Amino acid sequence: HDTIAIIDYGSQYTQLIARRIRELNVYSIILPYDFQESYIDLNSIKGIVLSGGPSSVYDKESPKFNKKILSYNIPILGICYGLQLLVEEFGGSVNNSSIGEYGPSKININNNDSLFQNISSSINVWMSHADRINTMPNDWKVTSQSENGIISSVQNINNNIFGVQFHPEVIHTEQGNNIIKNFVLNICKTAQNWSSENFINETIKNIRNTVGNGKVLCALSGGVDSTVVSTIMKKAIGNNAICVFIDHGLLRKN
């Protein structure tokens, strides 16, 4: 399936970004910022999203931009910290702002092409940042500003790179899903051929092919993730999946 790769920089919304993309019937995967190329099938990756995160790009210990993704020649969308990483990488600068933006904010869009196609010229968005773009890289354009005069989105149209300071993935951002849709469908040109049902069926088939006549020991704690895994394992290979409940000492009372 066509896939959007989300590079995780520690945002509390990373899983939500993945969900929003999958709601468009496009598959998404989450990768660590220092991922190895062996983790992925590059031929299926049609776009990359850089998530937000709590770090500052100018701190020595902050997660750094993975330069290898520029060689893939596919569209990139940076969100919050992801935007600031792109600005720094291309020669702009980011610094601490005396005006942090947290919560609802209004932005005014001056370019309704590409990322903001069919988006209103003024929308309410959800901000969560103390740093701001100080100087813009060459060949980049500002596409919107917040009511505080802070740059809220940019683009490098020649390289198909976009960035937003706000969080389009949360429900508090008006028309946020349409912004994500513009990136995933119009800019990345992905095919909408993925669904959770198909994913389950394909996973069951892959498990059967991998396991063959062997047996699988599946440890589960009763949480959502391990319960889903064990359920799919049972559907795939029946009694050859041996599920063992693990009391790790952090279960809910009773």
Side-chain angles (χ1 to χ4, degrees):
H1 297 286
D2 288 352
T3 301
I4 302 295
I6 302 160
I7 312 299
D8 183 19
Y9 286 96
S11 172
Q12 60 183 318
Y13 301 130
T14 298
Q15 295 284 350
L16 185 56
I17 298 170
R19 175 178 174 177
R20 294 290 182 244
I21 295 170
R22 293 177 186 184
E23 287 172 346
L24 295 170
N25 296 119
V26 176
Y27 187 51
S28 63
I29 58 172
I30 297 173
L31 301 171
Y33 68 91
D34 56 351
F35 73 94
Q36 301 297 315
E37 289 186 342
S38 59
Y39 294 178
I40 57 176
D41 174 11
L42 287 176
N43 292 324
S44 68
I45 304 297
K46 303 302 180 183
I48 291 176
V49 176
L50 309 181
S51 84
S55 303
S56 294
V57 294
Y58 46 78
D59 288 343
K60 290 183 179 180
E61 301 301 320
S62 62
K64 301 306 179 186
F65 180 74
N66 197 329
K67 297 177 184 291
K68 71 179 70 172
I69 68 174
L70 294 177
S71 66
Y72 302 159
N73 294 318
I74 55 177
I76 300 172
L77 171 64
I79 297 176
C80 198
Y81 183 74
L83 156 71
Q84 295 167 7
L85 281 172
L86 288 167
V87 168
E88 286 267 321
E89 175 64 25
F90 280 82
S93 65
V94 174
N95 61 12
N96 187 264
S97 172
S98 58
I99 306 175
E101 294 178 312
Y102 300 95
S105 178
K106 180 173 286 187
I107 67 168
N108 296 307
I109 299 168
N110 56 40
N111 187 320
N112 287 92
D113 297 332
S114 300
L115 192 63
F116 294 116
Q117 186 176 358
N118 297 321
I119 303 295
S120 303
S121 58
S122 179
I123 58 173
N124 293 308
V125 301
W126 189 259
M127 295 284 195
S128 181
H129 68 99
D131 296 337
R132 63 181 290 179
I133 297 174
N134 184 40
T135 58
M136 287 282 290
N138 294 331
D139 299 324
W140 285 62
K141 290 185 177 181
V142 175
T143 53
S144 73
Q145 287 184 297
S146 73
E147 55 191 349
N148 295 315
I150 294 176
I151 295 172
S152 51
S153 64
V154 298
Q155 69 180 26
N156 179 338
I157 200 71
N158 292 330
N159 292 313
N160 249 353
I161 301 177
F162 305 83
V164 294
Q165 186 61 72
F166 56 91
H167 290 274
E169 68 272 19
V170 303
I171 60 173
H172 308 80
T173 294
E174 294 177 345
Q175 303 178 55
N177 286 345
N178 288 334
I179 295 172
I180 294 173
K181 182 178 179 180
N182 281 337
F183 177 73
V184 172
L185 301 186
N186 299 340
I187 295 172
C188 298
K189 302 187 185 304
T190 55
Q192 294 175 278
N193 58 6
W194 181 90
S195 70
S196 57
E197 182 178 357
N198 289 339
F199 176 75
I200 291 170
N201 293 334
E202 290 171 5
T203 301
I204 288 173
K205 182 179 178 180
N206 289 337
I207 291 171
R208 286 173 179 162
N209 291 338
T210 301
V211 174
N213 294 323
K215 295 183 182 296
V216 175
L217 181 66
C218 183
L220 65 148
S221 64
V224 171
D225 293 340
S226 61
T227 303
V228 169
V229 169
S230 62
T231 301
I232 291 179
M233 293 294 290
K234 277 292 185 181
K235 286 184 177 179
I237 57 176
N239 290 335
N240 280 351
I242 303 166
C243 298
V244 179
F245 176 69
I246 304 298
D247 183 350
H248 48 57
L250 296 174
L251 300 171
R252 295 182 181 91
K253 187 177 180 180
N254 299 324

